[in-house]
Amino acid sequence: MSAKESRKVTQTGNSLSVGLPKSITDSLKIKRGDDIEFEVQDNKIVLNKKRKWEEDVDPEMLDMLAETFEDHHDVFEKLKDR
């Protein structure tokens, strides 16, 4: 985002709210239901789109884990009941 944008702070219930400009939501691919993390750094508010754990996991590793659980299902069931 190259140009500055501003928004008014509004009251929403007991909280204060600020709408995110479309240019920012488009840039970060933010959509309804996404989680946003807030952090204060050097007297500034820093917002980050929270990554979903699925984005950080190697699909090949998930396949290997699934195969391992399937191959050793009986062992895991016995361990669960201990």
Side-chain angles (χ1 to χ4, degrees):
M1 186 174 107
S2 58
K4 288 186 179 183
E5 296 191 41
S6 64
R7 295 290 189 266
K8 293 270 187 220
V9 176
T10 60
Q11 185 83 34
T12 306
N14 290 331
S15 299
L16 297 177
S17 301
V18 176
L20 298 174
K22 184 169 179 2
S23 60
I24 291 175
T25 59
D26 288 349
S27 173
L28 296 176
K29 297 181 176 77
I30 295 172
K31 59 188 180 306
R32 183 182 295 214
D34 285 344
D35 289 321
I36 304 294
E37 296 176 320
F38 297 81
E39 185 178 2
V40 176
Q41 294 179 355
D42 300 322
N43 209 30
K44 295 179 182 179
I45 299 171
V46 178
L47 305 177
N48 289 298
K49 179 180 176 183
K50 188 173 180 183
R51 291 177 56 106
K52 295 182 175 140
W53 68 268
E54 296 95 338
E55 296 171 357
D56 294 329
V57 177
D58 178 7
E60 196 173 311
M61 176 64 86
L62 286 179
D63 290 341
M64 285 178 18
L65 283 171
E67 187 177 311
T68 300
F69 281 115
E70 189 175 307
D71 291 348
H72 302 287
H73 177 76
D74 294 341
V75 173
F76 289 119
E77 282 296 315
K78 289 177 185 172
L79 286 172
K80 177 183 81 170
D81 296 332
R82 283 185 140 192

